[in-house]
Amino acid sequence: GGSSTGSGGGAPFVPGELTGFYPTTVTDSEVRGYYDAWVSGWVEDCGDGSARVKWDDTSRTVSEGIGYGMLLAATWEDRTLYDKLWAYYQRFKNSNGLMGWKVNGCSGPADDTGAATDADLDVAMSLLIADCKWSDGGYGTSATTVINAVRNHVMKTDGSRTFLCAGDGWGADCCGNASYQAPAYYRAFGVHTGDTAFWNQAADDSYYYLAKYDNDTTGLVSDWMDPDSLQCDAKGAGDWHGWDASRVPWRVVNDYAWWGTAAAQTYSEKIADFVESKGGIAATCSGYSLNGNTCGGTAVATFAGAFASSGIASSQARTDAFFQDLKGVEYEGYFNEILRTLYFTLAVKQFDYCGK
């Protein structure tokens, strides 16, 4: 990771510590309560040593939910649930070693065996966190396997850069999803595998693509990205910061929190400035045109929580206000509740990687 003194007055990056400003308005016990409520409402024990996370269509599970769930279970040291979610992931791996993105209930089969790359990145990262928590579980070895599958099947050479494809089943049509890029994870993968040159470059390249598709003033980025030289016909970038792109500020601020990355702070401060210009977290929308002038709906936790996370790279006052206001934002539904729990988990400095 790089180092940054931070224009918001933050301390220099120190390996092993989280960088940034964390809210004094939120407690660990509050967030543990959010986690327990999420488990109670959205996790189904399959009775065979595995468990699944219910989707909006509660008869289905998507790989993204398994990835988020494994991140949360590892972070909150819920090993029993962690192992059950990991068992479910492994049951529905495709021939590339990545989970099929949508599965029918506990028994399957996978409705679609193609991978959604963000899920596999989250699972790999969760395995590294699990290896930090429980060194006797072989999670580090499993992480290497998933990391290599990601590298071999969805990380593509795009001219002089590395581009993350949105999945492994698109053939030559390698479209990118802005919210799948996870530069903080890439740096961790480099530490774990020893190939820091490849993974740090992939992390740096993610900022190239972010800059290519975000609005220079607001920082808002489109849901989809087109690589420079690889083919992408299926998804146009468009001019909308929607439910996919909603997670980008959280993905980016993790790179500042874990590694002190200057580019992550610069981007996060742009987002925090935008949020403040709109009147704060409670006044945010569930979707925007990239210039921020067109609003797609009232505040919900998926968008508002990612926006709130940007305060971590900005100032103590902003972080306190952002997360205090986030407590009052609508959070019902699969996406809102699981992401809200993840956002708050970072806010109380629980979401971390011991290998930094």
Side-chain angles (χ1 to χ4, degrees):
S3 63
S4 173
T5 56
S7 57
F13 170 67
V14 178
E17 298 180 6
L18 287 179
T19 302
F21 304 91
Y22 294 85
T24 60
T25 50
V26 187
T27 66
D28 286 8
S29 60
E30 279 182 283
V31 184
R32 178 67 199 217
Y34 299 159
Y35 170 75
D36 290 340
W38 168 76
V39 171
S40 177
W42 292 95
V43 174
E44 178 185 357
D45 193 310
C46 293
D48 60 356
S50 72
R52 73 182 187 97
V53 176
K54 292 178 281 189
W55 192 35
D56 286 316
D57 172 354
T58 57
S59 71
R60 297 295 192 267
T61 285
V62 290
S63 57
E64 162 201 275
I66 297 297
Y68 291 152
M70 288 175 67
L71 288 173
L72 287 170
T75 297
W76 290 105
E77 300 186 0
D78 188 347
R79 189 172 185 178
T80 299
L81 176 57
Y82 184 85
D83 287 342
K84 289 179 178 180
L85 294 173
W86 173 224
Y88 187 91
Y89 178 94
Q90 292 177 90
R91 280 179 60 200
F92 296 105
K93 285 194 299 186
N94 63 24
S95 60
N96 290 331
L98 304 170
M99 182 179 164
W101 83 269
K102 187 169 68 170
V103 177
N104 185 5
C106 278
S107 58
D111 295 329
D112 190 329
T113 60
T117 305
D118 60 333
D120 304 292
L121 291 170
D122 285 331
V123 166
M125 191 66 239
S126 82
L127 286 161
L128 295 185
I129 295 171
D131 195 46
C132 293
K133 307 282 187 178
W134 313 298
S135 60
D136 62 340
Y139 302 111
T141 300
S142 296
T144 301
T145 300
V146 179
I147 290 166
N148 287 340
V150 166
R151 178 170 177 174
N152 291 335
H153 298 291
V154 295
M155 305 292 290
K156 303 294 186 182
T157 299
D158 182 37
S160 63
R161 302 183 188 279
T162 298
F163 186 80
L164 180 73
C165 299
D168 65 343
W170 295 38
D173 203 19
C174 179
C175 298
N177 187 303
S179 72
Y180 290 10
Q181 296 187 119
Y185 296 2
Y186 299 165
R187 299 184 207 282
F189 296 168
V191 171
H192 179 70
T193 64
D195 193 354
T196 55
F198 174 84
W199 286 108
N200 286 352
Q201 187 61 53
D204 292 344
D205 287 345
S206 70
Y207 289 99
Y208 164 81
Y209 294 109
L210 183 63
K212 183 178 177 182
Y213 287 103
D214 78 340
N215 180 277
D216 290 343
T217 302
T218 65
L220 298 174
V221 64
S222 53
D223 288 333
W224 293 92
M225 302 185 306
D226 189 343
D228 287 342
S229 59
L230 292 167
Q231 177 182 331
C232 172
D233 299 324
K235 297 283 187 178
D239 182 42
W240 193 251
H241 182 86
W243 286 88
D244 278 294
S246 64
R247 300 161 288 184
V248 169
W250 171 69
R251 293 283 190 199
V252 172
V253 85
N254 280 328
D255 196 27
Y256 179 65
W258 289 7
W259 307 100
T261 303
Q265 185 187 33
T266 299
Y267 177 79
S268 298
E269 285 209 335
K270 189 185 296 186
I271 292 290
D273 288 345
F274 169 74
V275 171
E276 198 158 83
S277 77
K278 291 297 183 182
I281 289 300
T284 57
C285 297
S286 51
Y288 284 100
S289 58
L290 298 193
N291 63 14
N293 293 338
T294 304
C295 165
T298 56
V300 297
T302 295
F303 290 84
F307 288 148
S309 300
S310 68
I312 289 170
S314 183
S315 75
Q316 190 65 54
R318 278 181 170 175
T319 301
D320 284 344
F322 284 1
F323 278 96
Q324 183 60 35
D325 287 352
L326 182 59
K327 293 181 186 182
V329 168
E330 170 63 47
Y331 65 90
E332 290 186 358
Y334 153 76
F335 214 37
N336 282 328
E337 190 162 350
I338 197 168
L339 284 168
R340 176 183 189 248
T341 307
L342 275 165
Y343 300 149
F344 273 107
T345 296
L346 175 62
V348 292
K349 302 176 77 169
Q350 291 296 324
F351 187 52
D352 199 3
Y353 169 51
C354 70
K356 300 195 307 294

